[in-house]
Each structure stands twice: as structure tokens, then as C-alpha cells.
Amino acid sequence: MEKSLAPRSVLVTGGCGFIGSCFIRMLRDRDPEVEIVNLDLLTYAGNPENLPGITDSPRYRWVRGDVRHEETVESLVGSADWVVHFAAESHVDRSTAAKAGAFVDTNVYGTFVLLDAVRRLRPECRYLQIGTDEVYGDVAFPQMPDEGWMLDPSSPYSASKAGADHIALAFARTHGVDVMVSRCTNNYGAYQYPEKMIPLFITNALDSLPIPLYDGGGQIRDWLRVEDHCEALLLILEEGRPGEIYNVGANQEPERTNLEVTEMILECTGASASLIEHRHGLRPGHDQRYAVATEKIRALGWTPRADIQEGIASTVRWYAENRGWWEAIKSGAYREFYEAHYGRPAS
Ligand code: NAD
Ligand code: TDX
């Protein structure tokens, strides 16, 4: 295995989002001396408040900029030991709406711009492409795709992420860039934008609002606590091999349906099951099941710590105790998307 030295400088893209901000908080906790540059455009999903206690640090710098913008990216890669690329359009339901070109633009072209700058200006750095298990598409039970599985993405979101993975791996093979790709399952935890199922259902339950459960709720997602994901990413950066792909997932046993996770949320919030509103047709091409084989990342020594029941309970507690964080989001531009998508007001 390759073993990289502790980085002195890390360029993170999308560090004001849900997972990128967790990664920055974790990196800072591990090494207060590391220099962190966060390139984030602050789209609707970005929020500097996801980085409490970090934004004032002299060893942290946020650059409000676009990964698609060559000059911006060129000005930042020069001193990075690690480049960790989270920035993306990340919500499947937005990718199936009209005017979803930003998914291709940011997720595919943005990845190309970043890698091309790395190739030219910082070829010695380690580059980690943050990918998703959704690139394998709908996976029939009991199959568990390993990293060599055929890609068969269903949504414009997952297709754009598959394109990004291909670009990244092509830069490893063609240009010898030290690229690795991670492919993680669904994350949950603090600071997740409340358009995604778990924070949406928790915050609606806390406000006694309808819980829009799609297509009967029988779908399977392999929910992983965001801290467990970020631990895996640090391990890949430290010990992963150039040009390799690493699946990351909880491998829930038994696998949990969306309805079962919803029931956990109802129990933890004390909300009534009558809030569940069955909705159909809101997710065209809805994948039934995601799952991944994780032997490769486990062989590096990673294992998820959080149990789903305990993880949901502590996540519910976080949203209950941090109303100000999500109420500010839900009172803003969020309302437009919610009304257009769900056909009802957000409150
Ligand atoms: P998020 O939507 O919460 O955050 C995305 C961040 O990227 C935001 O801060 C946004 O401002 C920034 N951004 C968007 N476009 C940009 C651009 N053009 N230039 C610079 N910054 C830009 O997303 P997330 O849930 O934290 O996901 C992060 C990454 O992890 C994504 O690449 C996503 O595909 C991947 N991923 C997510 C999950 C999940 O469950 N959320 C699972 C596996 C992989
Ligand atoms: O209102 C809803 N009702 C509902 O039943 C929403 C928003 C979702 N769902 C269902 C659809 C899915 O089966 O919940 C499941 C999870 O949906 P999301 O939270 O939107 O996540 P998903 O589409 O699975 O994708 C997420 O995990 C993989 C992230 O958004 C991606 O960025 C990541 O790559």
C-alpha cells in the first residue's frame, strides 16, 4: 500500500456542503496545523455555518468560487498536497427537473477543470474524487457490486457522477495523476440540507408536517453516518493506491427500507404515523435498491462505527437542538423548490 505523509496543505472543494464540511471539521480536529483551502461557490446547498469554529482560523481559507472556472482553480492547486473534490450538484430530484444542466456542467466539466489544473500545476498531489454508489444503478437483491461492476446510472445526477469518475480515472491512466475514487452509499447526520430524505423527514416530523414517502417506501438505501464516510475518505487519502476505486458503505444487516427508516424517525421524534403521505411520480426512474461490496476499504482497516438506530436517534437530537440552522434554510429559496416539487407549501 502507498502511504502518504501527513499533508501540509489540503484543497477541499464543496466544503460548505454537508459531507465536505464534516470532512473539514474532522481534518482540523486531527491536525490543527494543516492548511485548509475550501473552494465553494455557495450554491443553495452551501452554508458557511456548517463550519462553526473553523471559519476564523488563520489556517483556514474559504474562496467563494466555481470549480468550473479555470483561473480560480489554477490559483489554488499550486500548494496542495491533497485535493479532495466534493463540490457537486447532489440532489437526484433536482436533476430530473427542467434546467438541470448544472449537473453535467458542475459534476462533469467541473471535475475536468480541476483535474486538468492538477495535471499541469500540481502533479505530485493526491487527488480524491468523491463518488457515489448510485453509479452502479438499481442493484437486484442479493447482488453487491464491487469496484469493477458495470456502471449503469439511472438519473441525470448519477450519470453525471459516473462521467466524473470516468474523467478522474482517465487522468490517472493517461496522465499518471495520483487519482483515487471513492463510491459511498447514502449519508446522514448533522448539517445535511433538508431536501434529502432523512433531514427532510426529521424536520417535517418535528413541525408536524406531512412526510412525503415516495412509491410505497420499499426502497433500500445503505445509510451511512457522515462521520464514518469521512473516516473512510481520510484512510483512502492516507493509504489508498493510485488509480484505485474504493466503495464505502455500511452494509446494513438487515437492509432497511425507506419506510423502516421513516418509522425510526417517527419513533425518535414522537410524531404520528398519520403524517406519512404516500406520493407517487415524484421520482421518475426511482431506483429500488443500492448496495455495495466493501471488502476493499475494510481491508485498509476501515469499519463503520455507527449503528443505524443509534445514528438516527442522535441525528434527530441534533436537528431538534439546532432548529435555527434548518429554519433559516427552510424560510429561504428552499420554499420555491419545495412548492414546485411537492405541489404544496413548505410549512
Ligand atoms: P451538498 O449538496 O450538501 O454540497 C455540495 C457543495 O458543493 C455545496 O457547498 C455547494 O455550494 C458546492 N458547489 C456546488 N457547485 C459548485 C461549483 N460549481 N463550484 C464550487 N462549489 C460548488 O452535497 P453533499 O451531500 O455534501 O455531497 C458531497 C459530495 O459527495 C458530492 O460529490 C456527492 O455527489 C457525493 N456523495 C454524496 C452522498 C450523500 O448521501 N449526500 C453520498 C455519496 C456521495
Ligand atoms: O421526499 C422524499 N421522499 C422519499 O421517499 C425524498 C427526497 C426521498 N425519498 C426517497 C427516495 C430514495 O429512495 O428516499 C430515498 C433517499 O432519497 P434522497 O435522500 O434524495 O437520496 P438519494 O436519491 O438516494 O441520493 C443520495 O445518496 C446518494 C444523495 O442525494 C446523493 O448525492 C448520493 O450520491
Side-chain angles (χ1 to χ4, degrees):
M1 293 292 157
E2 301 285 320
K3 173 98 181 158
S4 84
L5 295 172
R8 278 173 294 112
S9 177
V10 179
L11 173 62
V12 175
T13 71
C16 294
F18 165 50
I19 306 173
S21 65
C22 179
F23 181 82
I24 289 178
R25 294 191 304 272
M26 199 174 269
L27 195 59
R28 166 61 73 236
D29 282 352
R30 284 205 177 187
D31 181 0
E33 291 304 309
V34 68
E35 180 188 73
I36 301 171
V37 178
N38 173 15
L39 172 62
D40 195 301
L41 186 58
L42 223 60
T43 67
Y44 79 92
N47 187 349
E49 289 180 21
N50 297 358
L51 292 161
I54 290 189
T55 39
D56 296 336
S57 157
R59 306 201 66 74
Y60 167 82
R61 183 158 69 102
W62 168 40
V63 176
R64 185 171 190 174
D66 195 326
V67 289
R68 295 167 290 186
H69 191 253
E70 256 179 51
E71 283 165 29
T72 305
V73 170
E74 283 170 1
S75 71
L76 299 177
V77 295
S79 58
D81 298 314
W82 291 352
V83 174
V84 192
H85 182 34
F86 294 92
E89 289 293 333
S90 70
H91 192 38
V92 171
D93 287 340
R94 291 181 190 252
S95 83
T96 61
K99 299 194 176 161
F103 281 79
V104 178
D105 231 27
T106 288
N107 299 1
V108 183
Y109 182 64
T111 297
F112 168 79
V113 171
L114 186 58
L115 274 158
D116 201 47
V118 166
R119 170 182 73 81
R120 286 181 285 114
L121 303 171
R122 193 65 178 169
E124 63 273 45
C125 81
R126 304 216 90 183
Y127 175 100
L128 179 56
Q129 176 68 24
I130 309 300
T132 169
D133 67 341
E134 295 197 20
V135 294
Y136 300 119
D138 211 341
V139 179
F141 182 83
Q143 290 174 333
M144 303 295 278
D146 64 14
E147 289 81 356
W149 202 265
M150 190 185 81
L151 303 195
D152 190 18
S154 306
S155 70
Y157 162 72
S158 50
S160 70
K161 292 294 291 184
D165 285 7
H166 283 310
I167 300 265
L169 293 165
F171 269 72
R173 167 125 187 174
T174 302
H175 299 302
V177 178
D178 181 0
V179 166
M180 294 166 298
V181 174
S182 63
R183 291 187 180 144
C184 190
T185 58
N186 287 58
N187 284 212
Y188 68 94
Y191 299 106
Q192 187 169 26
Y193 193 85
E195 66 188 349
K196 307 286 172 24
M197 186 189 103
I198 286 183
L200 171 63
F201 286 11
I202 292 174
T203 54
N204 278 15
L206 290 171
D207 278 350
S208 299
L209 292 168
I211 291 174
L213 186 65
Y214 296 167
D215 305 322
Q219 296 74 26
I220 305 280
R221 298 291 182 270
D222 184 28
W223 299 101
L224 183 72
R225 181 95 186 211
V226 63
E227 288 82 3
D228 280 327
H229 181 191
C230 290
E231 293 276 2
L233 299 178
L234 283 167
L235 186 62
I236 293 167
L237 283 156
E238 283 161 356
E239 311 240 351
R241 284 174 41 187
E244 294 287 322
I245 302 165
Y246 294 88
N247 288 342
V248 182
N251 298 132
Q252 299 286 346
E253 279 186 28
E255 294 186 343
R256 309 290 184 156
T257 64
N258 289 345
L259 178 59
E260 287 167 335
V261 173
T262 307
E263 285 163 348
M264 288 179 208
I265 291 171
L266 291 173
E267 197 185 321
C268 294
T269 53
S272 163
S274 64
L275 290 178
I276 295 179
E277 188 175 64
H278 285 281
R279 302 294 302 266
H280 296 273
L282 292 186
R283 177 150 311 185
H286 194 177
D287 285 330
Q288 186 66 23
R289 175 177 178 266
Y290 296 141
V292 285
T294 59
E295 283 81 2
K296 197 166 164 183
I297 182 74
R298 286 172 193 264
L300 289 187
W302 177 84
T303 183
R305 294 167 207 247
D307 156 79
I308 179 91
Q309 307 253 19
E310 200 287 312
I312 294 288
S314 62
T315 302
V316 166
R317 280 197 298 279
W318 188 87
Y319 284 88
E321 287 163 7
N322 290 276
R323 266 189 172 268
W325 181 86
W326 54 269
E327 282 179 349
I329 291 170
K330 283 194 163 189
S331 66
Y334 177 88
R335 304 177 76 84
E336 280 167 44
F337 167 74
Y338 198 96
E339 289 192 31
H341 183 65
Y342 293 102
R344 61 156 66 240
S347 56

